[in-house]
Amino acid sequence: MTKGRLDLLLDGLGIKLVPVHRRRAPAQSHARGTMQEIRGRYGDGHLIFVLRCIRQTGGNRDELWSDTIGAVSDVLLQRQDWALHRPGDLLGAFDDIALAALRTDAVARRPWPVRATLRTLIYHELEKRLDAPIRLAV
């Protein structure tokens, strides 16, 4: 069986998609549907940057949950200025954010949708790091 285009794209990022009936190992994900949705709507470049924000930062390497991938995508779409004008700062900010802890908080707040709650938590953490308030000299 030949690999599909999404699988080939993910090979370059060191990510392997596995069926949901198999337990995930490091660098593996069950999030095929979420990744296909993001890729179909926003293109390969957006998906690659979303996955880089997770895979290439701090302790987040294996946080390849569909809700996490979707939430990071949502935040980057809302604040495109961070990705376009300050990609290094954005990746640096993700180094300081524990996505696993934020996801745990979002799951604990069910029945609210995990992706929506996680999106808010990630946005708040990034905003604190990237949109520092301007302090006027008095």
Side-chain angles (χ1 to χ4, degrees):
M1 182 172 172
T2 60
K3 286 190 172 189
R5 291 175 57 191
L6 177 60
D7 294 292
L8 291 172
L9 178 75
L10 296 177
D11 282 348
L13 298 169
I15 298 170
K16 181 178 181 181
L17 291 170
V18 296
V20 293
H21 60 83
R22 284 189 37 209
R23 184 176 292 281
R24 290 176 359 137
Q28 293 184 343
S29 179
H30 297 136
R32 180 179 298 276
T34 300
M35 289 187 206
Q36 285 176 328
E37 174 192 338
I38 291 169
R39 185 170 173 255
R41 284 189 181 173
Y42 308 109
D44 290 351
H46 178 74
L47 177 61
I48 289 168
F49 195 70
V50 166
L51 295 172
R52 283 186 63 213
C53 286
I54 298 168
R55 285 283 294 156
Q56 296 178 1
T57 59
N60 298 322
R61 291 185 47 82
D62 298 317
E63 293 304 312
L64 296 169
W65 301 95
S66 60
D67 293 323
T68 303
I69 294 165
V72 170
S73 173
D74 295 343
V75 169
L76 295 182
L77 289 167
Q78 178 66 31
R79 289 300 304 267
Q80 294 179 25
D81 58 308
W82 288 340
L84 293 173
H85 303 297
R86 301 170 58 194
D89 292 340
L90 180 61
L91 290 170
F94 270 104
D95 278 332
D96 297 331
I97 296 171
L99 291 175
L102 294 182
R103 185 174 183 282
T104 298
D105 287 350
V107 168
R109 286 170 172 74
R110 283 180 176 156
W112 292 335
V114 174
R115 179 174 172 169
T117 303
L118 185 55
R119 171 179 52 230
T120 302
L121 296 171
I122 293 170
Y123 186 93
H124 178 70
E125 291 298 321
L126 288 171
E127 189 176 48
K128 287 192 301 190
R129 290 163 175 79
L130 298 171
D131 288 346
I134 298 171
R135 301 192 194 282
L136 300 175
V138 186

